Amino acid sequence: MHETLAYLPQILPAYIAYIVAVVSPGPAIMAIIGTSMTHGRKAGMTLSLGIFGGSLTWAFAAAAGLATLLQTYAMALELLKIFGGIYLLYLAYKAFRAVRANGEMPTAAEGPKTPGFKSLILRGYGIHVTNPKAIFAWLAIIALGMPQGAPASVAMLIIAVCGVTGFVVFMGYAILFSTPHALRIYRNARRWIEGAMAGFYCFAGIKLLTSNI
């Protein structure tokens, strides 16, 4: 443990880089915000749990060197990129359908129907794990905090500290945007919010499909 803690000066920049990355609005954060405002706190936190699982998947994959494997087999990365872009466009389509729905916000009894626990978990996981840029972000974080010759325990410490931070941030967004004040904002600007979500997902999907990774 003492040997691992000796690398804290190198780990700190990696942790700061992770904080900047995790709080920045992206498909995952926007999904948490939209779900929390539309379906409430429980749904937002469930989706956050799925996103957290996707983040950990890429974290451990980066630590295991999967990024190198994906770079070697370019076709696998290309397929992952295409699948992720199509998935984001699908979410844009669903948000656009919500924009075209009745202007009055439905009551809890009328809808919009809240997706089930499994559906929300899979949706959150899918949003994060189909974005190949996430693994390169994690790879950069681990490389930044783990100098050459460092033991594997350093990578595990980076993942643990960043993982806890990510969990708190994801859940924090879900709680913040499911407050009564946030729900009042959503009721008053539902179409604008859903329209912004549709536009964001569409932009993110097209950008992912056309990007060179």
Side-chain angles (χ1 to χ4, degrees):
M1 177 59 72
H2 179 73
E3 181 185 6
T4 301
L5 295 179
Y7 288 90
L8 285 179
Q10 287 79 27
I11 293 174
L12 182 59
Y15 180 64
I16 293 173
Y18 177 79
I19 292 177
V20 172
V22 79
V23 300
S24 302
I29 296 299
M30 294 300 290
I32 293 171
I33 292 173
T35 301
S36 299
M37 296 182 78
T38 307
H39 299 293
R41 180 169 300 173
K42 183 178 179 180
M45 294 179 75
T46 303
L47 185 86
S48 298
L49 193 60
I51 289 172
F52 176 70
S55 181
L56 284 186
T57 297
W58 282 133
F60 284 108
L66 182 59
T68 303
L69 181 65
L70 288 174
Q71 286 178 318
T72 302
Y73 297 96
M75 181 59 70
L77 182 59
E78 191 67 22
L79 289 174
L80 184 62
K81 184 183 74 170
I82 292 172
F83 185 80
I86 292 174
Y87 186 68
L88 287 172
L89 290 177
Y90 168 71
L91 294 178
Y93 167 73
K94 293 192 69 175
F96 180 71
R97 285 188 60 187
V99 174
R100 299 190 62 187
N102 293 333
E104 293 296 324
M105 182 175 175
T107 63
E110 296 171 343
K113 185 179 178 181
T114 301
F117 178 85
K118 182 179 179 180
S119 175
L120 286 167
I121 288 286
L122 292 176
R123 180 184 300 182
Y125 187 82
I127 288 172
H128 213 67
V129 84
T130 57
N131 185 357
K133 291 185 178 182
I135 192 171
F136 293 107
W138 267 108
L139 183 65
I141 289 166
I142 291 178
L144 183 63
M146 188 176 178
Q148 188 174 7
S153 58
V154 174
M156 294 301 101
L157 179 61
I158 294 172
I159 292 174
V161 174
C162 292
V164 170
T165 302
F167 182 83
V168 171
V169 170
F170 295 147
M171 293 297 173
Y173 270 112
I175 293 171
L176 177 63
F177 285 92
S178 60
T179 59
H181 180 66
L183 292 176
R184 281 196 299 270
I185 293 175
Y186 178 76
R187 286 179 181 274
N188 294 329
R190 185 181 69 83
R191 286 196 170 188
W192 287 101
I193 292 171
E194 294 288 356
M197 293 293 295
F200 181 85
Y201 283 136
C202 187
F203 170 78
I206 293 174
K207 185 177 180 181
L208 184 57
L209 287 171
T210 58
S211 63
N212 293 318
I213 299 178

